Amino acid sequence: MELTFSLEEIDNAAKQILAHDMKKTVLFHAGMGVGKTTLIKAIAKQLGVKDMTSSPTFSLVNEYETENGDILYHFDLYRLNTEEEAYDMGLDEYFYSGNLCLIEWPEKTPNLIPLDHTTITIKQLPDGKRHLVVK
């Protein structure tokens, strides 16, 4: 699936992403400031998360409950130095928990990511819109 959207259209983009056949582990690839966290917030909103979502840059993971009572984990792995550090924190247990895991900077832990995952790649276009590819 490919999609181009403006920030004003991000809620609709999140709906379309959720309508896609996604795995429980979703990897977000994009450069700094392209909108990974903003898109994840929109996805969480579409899932009925009532709590304020924020980037887990310092905590590495935030846990949210959806309106259906399901658990959603949002990871920001940017600050990890080594995969061993992630493993020591038990990140792999989250990844294999059966709960939805939305992961920013997954390239920091390539050997811990489940093989069965969805990848979302986001690029910012010159006009400020975002183009994403879901695989």
Side-chain angles (χ1 to χ4, degrees):
M1 175 179 116
E2 290 192 42
L3 178 62
T4 299
F5 61 95
S6 66
L7 290 179
E8 292 79 24
E9 300 167 318
I10 198 163
D11 288 330
N12 186 45
K15 282 181 192 175
Q16 290 183 54
I17 291 166
L18 287 168
H20 191 269
D21 182 28
M22 291 194 343
K23 306 298 181 188
K24 289 288 188 177
T25 302
V26 184
L27 313 181
F28 289 79
H29 292 282
M32 185 74 72
V34 172
K36 295 179 296 295
T37 299
T38 304
L39 181 58
I40 289 172
K41 286 180 182 183
I43 290 170
K45 179 181 170 186
Q46 292 303 314
L47 291 170
V49 171
K50 303 286 186 224
D51 297 334
M52 183 60 190
T53 53
S54 62
S55 178
T57 303
F58 295 101
S59 62
L60 297 179
V61 61
N62 286 343
E63 178 180 322
Y64 302 107
E65 186 174 339
T66 70
E67 66 185 358
N68 295 336
D70 295 327
I71 300 297
L72 161 71
Y73 294 117
H74 175 196
F75 297 87
D76 183 335
L77 305 181
Y78 182 76
R79 294 175 49 87
L80 283 178
N81 295 312
T82 66
E83 253 187 340
E84 184 176 331
E85 183 180 354
Y87 188 76
D88 289 345
M89 293 178 56
L91 286 184
D92 58 323
E93 293 176 26
Y94 287 101
F95 296 166
Y96 292 95
S97 68
N99 294 306
L100 184 59
C101 294
L102 307 177
I103 307 168
E104 298 184 52
W105 304 103
E107 57 273 13
K108 295 281 194 157
T109 59
N111 296 308
L112 296 180
I113 300 295
L115 294 176
D116 195 23
H117 64 266
T118 298
T119 300
I120 297 178
T121 304
I122 311 168
K123 293 188 178 170
Q124 186 169 354
L125 302 175
D127 64 2
K129 290 185 178 185
R130 284 11 181 221
H131 179 79
L132 65 81
V133 177
V134 180
K135 292 184 180 177

